PDB file of all heavy atoms in Angstrom:
ATOM      1  N   MET G 261       4.868   0.658  14.395  1.00 67.00           N
ATOM      2  CA  MET G 261       5.227   1.820  15.179  1.00 67.00           C
ATOM      3  C   MET G 261       6.515   1.541  15.952  1.00 67.00           C
ATOM      4  O   MET G 261       7.357   2.435  16.058  1.00 67.00           O
ATOM      5  CB  MET G 261       4.077   2.194  16.131  1.00 67.00           C
ATOM      6  CG  MET G 261       2.789   2.594  15.416  1.00 67.00           C
ATOM      7  SD  MET G 261       2.977   3.918  14.209  1.00 67.00           S
ATOM      8  CE  MET G 261       3.010   5.308  15.273  1.00 67.00           C
ATOM      9  N   ILE G 272      17.452   7.086  11.718  1.00 73.00           N
ATOM     10  CA  ILE G 272      16.769   6.814  10.451  1.00 73.00           C
ATOM     11  C   ILE G 272      15.320   7.255  10.640  1.00 73.00           C
ATOM     12  O   ILE G 272      14.569   6.641  11.384  1.00 73.00           O
ATOM     13  CB  ILE G 272      16.852   5.320  10.073  1.00 73.00           C
ATOM     14  CG1 ILE G 272      18.306   4.897   9.898  1.00 73.00           C
ATOM     15  CG2 ILE G 272      16.044   5.049   8.809  1.00 73.00           C
ATOM     16  CD1 ILE G 272      18.512   3.408   9.745  1.00 73.00           C
ATOM     17  N   MET G 370      -2.611  12.642   8.864  1.00 88.00           N
ATOM     18  CA  MET G 370      -1.859  13.696   9.539  1.00 88.00           C
ATOM     19  C   MET G 370      -2.698  14.942   9.799  1.00 88.00           C
ATOM     20  O   MET G 370      -2.303  15.816  10.550  1.00 88.00           O
ATOM     21  CB  MET G 370      -0.577  14.037   8.775  1.00 88.00           C
ATOM     22  CG  MET G 370      -0.772  14.698   7.434  1.00 88.00           C
ATOM     23  SD  MET G 370      -1.066  13.627   6.025  1.00 88.00           S
ATOM     24  CE  MET G 370       0.409  12.727   5.835  1.00 88.00           C
ATOM     25  N   SER G 374     -10.101  10.458  10.410  1.00 94.00           N
ATOM     26  CA  SER G 374     -10.109   9.038  10.784  1.00 94.00           C
ATOM     27  C   SER G 374     -10.297   8.119   9.590  1.00 94.00           C
ATOM     28  O   SER G 374      -9.662   7.087   9.479  1.00 94.00           O
ATOM     29  CB  SER G 374     -11.217   8.762  11.802  1.00 94.00           C
ATOM     30  OG  SER G 374     -10.958   9.462  12.987  1.00 94.00           O
ATOM     31  N   ARG G 446       8.212  -8.781   6.934  1.00 70.00           N
ATOM     32  CA  ARG G 446       7.708  -9.665   5.879  1.00 70.00           C
ATOM     33  C   ARG G 446       7.948  -9.049   4.489  1.00 70.00           C
ATOM     34  O   ARG G 446       8.192  -9.750   3.524  1.00 70.00           O
ATOM     35  CB  ARG G 446       6.219  -9.903   6.113  1.00 70.00           C
ATOM     36  CG  ARG G 446       5.559 -10.847   5.156  1.00 70.00           C
ATOM     37  CD  ARG G 446       4.051 -10.962   5.496  1.00 70.00           C
ATOM     38  NE  ARG G 446       3.429 -11.945   4.666  1.00 70.00           N
ATOM     39  CZ  ARG G 446       3.081 -11.742   3.402  1.00 70.00           C
ATOM     40  NH1 ARG G 446       3.305 -10.594   2.836  1.00 70.00           N
ATOM     41  NH2 ARG G 446       2.509 -12.697   2.706  1.00 70.00           N
TER      42      ARG G 446
END
Side-chain angles (χ1 to χ4, degrees):
M261 297 306 281
I272 299 171
M370 68 275 295
S374 296
R446 183 181 185 282

